[in-house]
Each structure stands twice: as structure tokens, then as C-alpha cells.
Amino acid sequence: MGWWLYLTLVVAAAHAQETCLSVNENPYLLFGSKTAYLFANNNVPVNRIHDVPGCQPIAFWLAYRHGASNPTESEIPELKKLSDFKNNILNNYRSGNFRNTNQRICASDVNLISQWEWNSRINSTFAGNLTSEGYMTTQQQAQSWKQRYPGLLTDNPHDYLIKYVDDEISGSTFRAFTEGIFRTQAENYDFPKEMNEKKLKPYKSCEKWKNEVEDNNDTLTQKRIFQSKQEFREMITNVSLRLGFNYDIHPTLVYNMYQMCRYNKAWDISSVSPWCSVFTREDLKRYEYAEDLETFYKYGYASDLSPKVGCSMLNDMVAFLTKHAEHEQPQQPKAQIQLTDSEMLLMLLRTMGTNQDPAPLTGDNYHTNTAQNRKWSTSLLAPYNANFAAVLYKCTSNGNFQIKDRYQVLFLHNEKPVVLEGCRVGLCDWSLVIQRFGELANKCDLQFCNGAKSVQSWGIVALVTLVLLKVAL
Ligand SMILES: *[C@@H]1O[C@H](CO)[C@@H](O)[C@H](O)[C@H]1NC(C)=O
Ligand SMILES: *[C@@H]1O[C@H](CO)[C@@H](O)[C@H](O)[C@H]1NC(C)=O
Ligand SMILES: *[C@@H]1O[C@H](CO)[C@@H](O)[C@H](O)[C@H]1NC(C)=O
Ligand SMILES: *[C@@H]1O[C@H](CO)[C@@H](O)[C@H](O)[C@H]1NC(C)=O
């Protein structure tokens, strides 16, 4: 810390108005898709056992999102810009550049920023990979699933089928997950596995979805509207003032600070991030909403294509459960695990119709009840290590008077029972599962992805048929 900073600290101490955001005892920790699992899920008792009286768990299906990751190749240069920007902040502080002293950053927060440095180990080699925090959380979760279902999640690798994609983060997640289940034995086992990106992340190869949703400029209209509104622009102004800028700094820079803040809190949940101390709770909630507007229009209820893509997960789940529910003899594998991503998890929830709000989220309803109490919350639905499980139970007749069907399915989203109409705290009769999801799952057909082409070819078929008919006549 330079002498000047020491001097300004002494001077600053005279200002009673300062608030230190880094010492907040109740910081806001919901950061959309980059939220640590623990922050999103802090009231789930560890190793809670879902005992269903009179029933035995016989099959386990799980969709699992990877843990905390490193920035991607394209994010790294943006985040690196904070090294230079940090010096601007320190300069402002040194020259007492505060138009509004009520909003100035406090001395100890500046001090934190002054000590921050870009971690040079985060380079393109490690871009997008799982972090050690993400690795450990994955191991721990796999282990705790196993402890909860000991008869089902056994030590026999052939009881499992693990599906994942052939990339670095999925490969690391696979290793962490299997180590969680088999400890050091994992290395010696040859697990039944399947690598198929087309099935696990179909949106990546779905032309129609890409054209109409991902690459469609209109998809982000509501997010852009929100970001152009007073409630968002005011946040940019406040952050700028707090850091001693007498003008609004570029939104991209503010976003880079937000990114660094949420990455820091995912990589190390117990440390204070210098970049989080730049934001108030209200500021962070605005970024959270902006991302929810993006996921809602890309993967959620605002897009008719989400369930047409998301049904592929449901199809996998229902097919797996059906195999077990319709055979008297035990079937293999007993556990099927898909290592996937937040996009597919959100689309699965959308397909199943959970977490739907009474009105759509829009760029200008931030202050409404719908938006403030929204069920479509990316932080809570798809944080790092997010998971969605469907556990099939086989029940003995008269074993449990509340239960109608012999087979029951318990749905758990991030380890909590899913609220589904007609079910009891996440536990549903098999007949209800089939009635509600059977058709959705069975009719799932990714052929629509090449929709534009097939319409064209139908046109050609029609034309040829007409010509042939004419000739025949
Ligand atoms: C990234 O950093 C590691 C260790 O710090 C180094 O071994 C590696 O060569 C670097 N990769 C690139 C692409 O610079
Ligand atoms: C990716 O992360 C995993 C787990 O942290 C690690 O074992 C692996 O070596 C990493 N890959 C690279 C290229 O650094
Ligand atoms: C998307 O739309 C916005 C607002 O209408 C416009 O400013 C922007 O240039 C468009 N981007 C592209 C790639 O068309
Ligand atoms: C910005 O600061 C003003 C003045 O302190 C405050 O009234 C307003 O709520 C702040 N806005 C946000 C988004 O925090």
C-alpha cells in the first residue's frame, strides 16, 4: 500500500458517512448461473435421507451440472482489463475524486482492491475447466448421494451408466463424480459410459433453435430494455460514483467487476472478494435479474422451442424409469447419471412445467411482485453443481396407506422435493408420472431441429408428386 493511500486512509477516517461493503455480515450471494451451490441451497440438511415408508428405492436417474469453472477463453481478456482499471480506482481515491461523499468507497474496500492481482495461472490452458473447489464439491455430492441410497448406489461399477460429453470440464466432472462414489478405486474401474453430445446437449447442434433463439437478436430484447431503464442505469451511476468517477463508466467494465466478484465467490466461498465490495445488494440483484431475463427467453417459458429441446432429457429419464417399473426382475444399470449443463437443466424444468411464474418476466416489470418473487431464478434453479434427480421406489401393498401405485417416483431438484401438482412433497404415483410426462417424453423428436430443411424437402416431394400425377394423368 503506497504512502498516499495511508494518508488518504487517515483523511478518509474523518468521513463518518463511509460504508464498507466488504464487511457486510449478510452479503448478497446469488449470482445467477455462477452461484456457488451452497449459497443457493444453504438450508438443505447434509445427508438428508428421503425415506419412504413401505418402499424401496430401485432406480436412480440424475442430471448434474458441473461445479465452479474457470473463465472461458473469451472472458479472460475482459477480466484482465481489471488490472489497469484498478489503478484508475486507486488514482481516484488518491486525488479525492468524489462528487458525492455519501457514495464513496470506504478505505478498507479500496485497500482490498489495491491488493488484488490477476491470477496469471488462469490462462487459456485452464480456460473453462473445473476449479479445485468445483472438483471437491462434485466429489462430496456424489459421496453424499451414495450415503443416502446405499442399497442403490453400490460399489459395483456395473450398476451405473454415466453419460457425458467429450470436453475438459465434463471429463473432470466425470472423474470427480466417480471418485466421490468409489474413492481411490475409481481409477481401476472401467465404467459403463456413453459420450454423446447430440443427446446430452442437443441445443448445441440444433440449427432451428440456434437460428430462432440463440442467434436471434430479439431473444435479448427484454434484457436490453431492462439495461436501458433507470433502475439499471442508476446502478451503473452509483458504482461509478462509489469508485470516484465523475461520469458513468462503461457498462462492460462494471460487468467485468461483477464477473470477477462472482467467480471469486464461486472459487472460494469463504473469502471476501475485493470486486464484490464494489456492489450493494441492490446492484447485485439487478445483474441477477438481467441474467434471468436472458435465461427466461433462451431456455425458459418465453420460448416455445425450449420444451422441444428439453424433452430429450425427459425422454431419457422416462425411458430409464419405465424400464425399471415395467420389469419384475431388477434391471441394469440401476443408476443413470447425465453430466450436463445449466442450459439443459433449465430446459428440463421448462419441459416439466416447474417454476413457472404467473406472468412473463420483462424488461420493465423489475419492481413488480412477479419479478421480485420470481420462481424463474437462475441462481436457485441452476447454480454450480445443480442437480435434478428422479428416484423410483417399489412399494409393498399395504406398506404405506398414503400410496396408491406400487411404483412411486421422488423428484428432487437440488436435493429438495419438487412441487408438482397431484404429488405429495415430490413423491408421485407412477401412473401420474406417465400421465403427465409420458407423452411429452415419447413424442420428443429432435428432427424439428432441421425443420427449415424438411419443410423444403416436403415442398419438393409435393412438387414431384404433382408432376408425377400430371404425367400419370
Ligand atoms: C498457463 O500457465 C501454466 C502454469 O502457470 C503454464 O504451464 C502454461 O504454459 C500456460 N499456458 C499458456 C497458454 O500460456
Ligand atoms: C482440469 O481440471 C481438472 C480438475 O481440477 C484437472 O485434473 C485437470 O488437469 C485440468 N486440466 C487442465 C488442462 O489443466
Ligand atoms: C440487435 O438489436 C439491437 C437493438 O435493436 C441493435 O442495437 C443491435 O445492433 C442489433 N444487433 C445485431 C447483431 O443485429
Ligand atoms: C443509487 O443511489 C441512490 C442515492 O444513494 C439511491 O437512492 C438508489 O437507490 C441507488 N440505486 C441503486 C440501484 O442502488
Side-chain angles (χ1 to χ4, degrees):
M1 180 171 33
W3 58 270
W4 53 266
L5 192 56
Y6 175 74
L7 273 185
T8 20
L9 294 191
V10 175
V11 175
H15 293 268
Q17 298 274 21
E18 288 188 342
T19 43
C20 288
L21 295 169
S22 62
V23 296
N24 187 345
E25 277 171 15
N26 181 22
Y28 195 71
L29 297 166
L30 299 180
F31 301 114
S33 59
K34 294 186 171 65
T35 300
Y37 188 72
L38 192 75
F39 299 150
N41 235 28
N42 58 5
N43 48 11
V44 171
V46 189
N47 293 339
R48 174 163 164 201
I49 299 190
H50 295 279
D51 231 358
V52 184
C55 308
Q56 286 292 321
I58 60 160
F60 180 84
W61 185 93
L62 180 73
Y64 190 74
R65 186 193 175 198
H66 59 77
S69 56
N70 280 326
T72 61
E73 197 113 28
S74 62
E75 287 171 342
I76 290 175
E78 283 301 316
L79 294 172
K80 271 184 161 170
K81 289 182 186 161
L82 292 177
S83 298
D84 285 338
F85 186 62
K86 161 187 140 172
N87 294 325
N88 296 345
I89 298 174
L90 300 183
N91 283 338
N92 287 349
Y93 199 80
R94 174 174 48 184
S95 44
N97 226 4
F98 294 94
R99 188 169 53 181
N100 179 344
T101 49
N102 285 338
Q103 302 235 26
R104 74 187 295 164
I105 188 169
C106 91
S108 60
D109 290 357
V110 174
N111 193 11
L112 277 175
I113 291 175
S114 76
Q115 285 164 18
W116 179 84
E117 270 174 51
W118 172 254
N119 179 347
S120 61
R121 273 171 304 163
I122 299 171
N123 60 23
S124 57
T125 309
F126 304 107
N129 197 5
L130 200 61
T131 65
S132 46
E133 165 73 37
Y135 198 91
M136 268 160 33
T137 307
T138 306
Q139 272 183 321
Q140 283 161 6
Q141 278 192 356
Q143 209 176 325
S144 92
W145 282 115
K146 191 183 178 195
Q147 280 163 6
R148 262 176 270 176
Y149 291 105
L152 190 52
L153 303 180
T154 65
D155 284 323
N156 177 3
H158 294 283
D159 282 346
Y160 299 82
L161 173 61
I162 303 182
K163 300 186 180 183
Y164 63 108
V165 167
D166 185 14
D167 62 23
E168 196 161 68
I169 194 163
S170 306
S172 303
T173 304
F174 173 80
R175 272 211 297 140
F177 202 94
T178 51
E179 272 175 31
I181 292 184
F182 300 101
R183 309 286 178 121
T184 51
Q185 292 299 310
E187 277 177 42
N188 310 325
Y189 289 153
D190 184 24
F191 294 96
K193 57 192 172 199
E194 187 182 303
M195 285 190 189
N196 188 339
E197 183 169 83
K198 281 216 162 83
K199 274 190 177 165
L200 280 171
K201 301 185 182 177
Y203 68 93
K204 289 202 168 179
S205 51
C206 185
E207 289 307 321
K208 192 174 170 74
W209 183 83
K210 284 204 273 192
N211 291 337
E212 292 186 14
V213 182
E214 190 179 39
D215 299 339
N216 180 348
N217 203 12
D218 288 343
T219 302
L220 296 184
T221 298
Q222 295 302 324
K223 183 180 177 184
R224 273 195 295 268
I225 289 175
F226 178 59
Q227 289 177 327
S228 70
K229 300 215 43 143
Q230 171 70 14
E231 50 259 42
F232 191 86
R233 291 192 3 239
E234 188 182 79
M235 179 270 283
I236 302 281
T237 305
N238 287 4
V239 170
S240 305
L241 285 174
R242 201 170 292 134
L243 298 178
F245 293 93
N246 291 328
Y247 53 89
D248 280 358
I249 50 186
H250 198 283
T252 310
L253 269 173
V254 184
Y255 183 68
N256 292 346
M257 292 191 274
Y258 175 68
Q259 285 275 74
M260 206 59 239
C261 155
R262 56 182 187 162
Y263 269 127
N264 281 160
K265 291 304 289 179
W267 297 339
D268 182 355
I269 58 173
S270 53
S271 291
V272 171
S273 163
W275 297 109
C276 289
S277 70
V278 163
F279 300 102
T280 64
R281 167 176 295 257
E282 289 309 314
D283 297 338
L284 295 170
K285 283 187 172 180
R286 280 157 175 79
Y287 271 122
E288 192 188 13
Y289 191 61
E291 191 179 3
D292 284 347
L293 285 174
E294 182 166 344
T295 63
F296 184 76
Y297 286 85
K298 275 190 180 165
Y299 318 115
Y301 286 93
S303 166
D304 291 339
L305 293 186
S306 313
K308 295 187 83 171
V309 178
C311 65
S312 58
M313 279 262 138
L314 189 67
N315 175 290
D316 192 276
M317 178 208 293
V318 170
F320 173 76
L321 297 176
T322 303
K323 191 174 88 177
H324 287 270
E326 292 187 349
H327 287 93
E328 220 23 68
Q329 297 307 315
Q331 301 291 305
Q332 286 292 61
K334 292 200 278 186
Q336 190 161 298
I337 291 147
Q338 352 287 307
L339 305 181
T340 183
D341 55 16
S342 57
E343 290 86 342
M344 285 313 295
L345 269 181
L346 290 172
M347 288 199 264
L348 171 64
L349 297 172
R350 158 66 175 101
T351 310
M352 293 181 70
T354 72
N355 306 90
Q356 184 167 17
D357 292 299
L361 307 180
T362 65
D364 44 24
N365 72 0
Y366 179 66
H367 288 296
T368 64
N369 254 333
T370 302
Q372 290 295 313
N373 303 313
R374 61 193 178 278
K375 294 185 190 136
W376 190 265
S377 155
T378 310
S379 306
L380 302 180
L381 302 185
Y384 283 129
N385 302 99
N387 50 81
F388 191 98
V391 190
L392 184 71
Y393 286 80
K394 188 177 187 177
C395 308
T396 52
S397 45
N398 309 329
N400 185 331
F401 65 92
Q402 282 185 311
I403 281 170
K404 192 176 100 215
D405 290 0
R406 181 134 172 262
Y407 289 97
Q408 299 284 318
V409 182
L410 178 64
F411 291 105
L412 299 169
H413 178 205
N414 295 336
E415 303 172 69
K416 283 177 289 209
V418 179
V419 180
L420 284 170
E421 207 192 311
C423 303
R424 304 154 308 272
V425 223
L427 192 68
C428 312
D429 284 314
W430 175 244
S431 56
L432 186 132
V433 172
I434 288 304
Q435 182 201 327
R436 188 160 313 160
F437 302 124
E439 194 174 316
L440 267 175
N442 293 332
K443 281 204 172 153
C444 188
D445 184 358
L446 292 169
Q447 280 300 319
F448 87 92
C449 287
N450 309 315
K453 278 188 209 127
S454 74
V455 166
Q456 238 174 22
S457 56
W458 274 115
I460 291 167
V461 171
L463 200 73
V464 170
T465 316
L466 264 180
V467 170
L468 289 178
L469 275 176
K470 273 224 157 117
V471 171
L473 287 170

